[in-house]
């Protein structure tokens, strides 16, 4: 299941339910968590974690993938096969950094939904699966979809958008985490008294994606959460400056951060930028990825 970055994250006013109205462009990239589901001897849900970031998430019932399996299990009675047990042992190989603005937890939840639906032989429509996904988190429906998509509402209403080729990115992974609710809260504080326009996706951005025109896209990348993430983590300004100095076409904070994503011209430029950033001491790690990435790849 791929990580995501947001090519645009326009944050509108706070809604009555506490979420912010968004206009965003999700873009799945080639950094993957692997999620497996195998039959359990009982009716419980358990998870075993491995991989580089496996120790960064809980392995108990609070794990979002475990909650996803429970949420799906509730949908079973109407369609279940009597011969199939309802327990599951989930396995997650975590290569996506945790609480990093890359939707790693959402990727795991989406992976658990797909793997359990297969294990339990559920024949749920994509729309039903998306409803379960939205109940788990704003980014989970996109994590089921992959590719590139405009997200509206709180991010769960999706419209796939075509991308005319491969885009080359570098992810600068930070030490430590940022809490998404904290970043939204800080944005609200910074915006107090300022007018907040309704969020929209500019047509130029969709045209640049359709043409896979990296230089044009570079001028259109924008994240409203960036000022809040920078306010909570000022060192990220050094990461962004380092990436730009090292030749990135553009750079921005991914989602609620603290990962920074840099757009480059091609694979060679991405490889060079990744090694330059890794040596810059402005981030913990830097990895070259491509997008859009497909689910299941
Ligand atoms: O939906 P999810 O659980 O990922 O959201 C985490 C938190 O991020 C929410 O509790 C809320 O504070 C913030 N959020 C928001 N508006 C959104 C999405 C997330 O305020 N559209």
């Amino acid at each position: 299941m791929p990580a995501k970055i947001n090519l645009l994250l326009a944050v509108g006013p706070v809604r009555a339910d506490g979420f912010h109205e968004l206009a965003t462009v999700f873009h799945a990239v080639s950094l993957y968590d692997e999620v497996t589901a195998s039959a359990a001897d009982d009716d419980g849900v358990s998870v075993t974690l491995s991989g580089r970031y496996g120790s960064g998430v809980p392995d108990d019932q609070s794990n979002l993938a475990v909650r996803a399996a429970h949420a799906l299990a509730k949908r079973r009675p109407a369609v279940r096969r009597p011969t199939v047990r309802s327990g599951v042992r989930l396995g997650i190989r975590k290569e996506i950094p945790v609480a990093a603005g890359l939707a790693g937890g959402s990727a795991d939840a989406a992976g658990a939904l797909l793997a359990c639906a297969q294990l339990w032989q559920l024949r749920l429509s994509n729309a039903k699966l998306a409803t379960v996904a939205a109940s788990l988190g704003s980014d989970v429906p996109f994590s089921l979809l992959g590719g590139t998509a405009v997200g509206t509402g709180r991010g769960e209403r999706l419209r796939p958008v075509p991308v005319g080729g491969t885009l080359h990115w570098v992810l600068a992974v930070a030490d430590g985490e940022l809490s998404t609710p904290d970043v939204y809260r800080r944005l609200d504080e910074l915006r107090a008294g300022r007018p907040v326009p309704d969020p929209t996706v500019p047509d130029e951005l969709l045209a640049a994606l359709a043409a896979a025109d990296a230089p044009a896209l570079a001028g259109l990348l924008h994240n409203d959460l960036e000022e809040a993430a920078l306010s909570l983590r000022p060192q990220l300004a050094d990461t962004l400056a380092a990436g730009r100095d090292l030749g990135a076409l553009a750079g921005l904070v991914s989602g609620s951060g603290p990962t920074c994503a840099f757009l480059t011209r091609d694979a060679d430029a991405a490889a060079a930028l990744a090694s330059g950033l890794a040596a810059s001491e402005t981030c913990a790690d830097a990895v070259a990825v491509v997008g859009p990435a497909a689910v299941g790849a």
Side-chain angles (χ1 to χ4, degrees), residues 11 14-15 18-22 106 134 136-139 153-155 180-182 184-185:
V11 181
V14 194
R15 312 188 315 193
F19 285 89
H20 292 72
E21 193 67 24
L22 302 182
S106 300
L136 296 160
S138 305
D139 292 344
R154 66 183 169 93
T180 301
D182 287 355
Y184 273 100
R185 210 171 300 122

Side-chain angles (χ1 to χ4, degrees), residues 4-5 7 10 17 33 35 41 54 94 110 116 123 143 159-160 167 169 198 215-216 229 239 244 249 272 276 291:
K4 67 87 190 143
I5 58 179
L7 310 185
D17 63 3
D33 281 357
V35 183
D41 298 332
K94 268 212 84 59
C116 290
R123 293 218 181 83
S143 295
R159 176 166 61 90
L167 297 167
W169 303 90
D198 283 337
T239 316
R244 288 167 188 149
L249 294 174

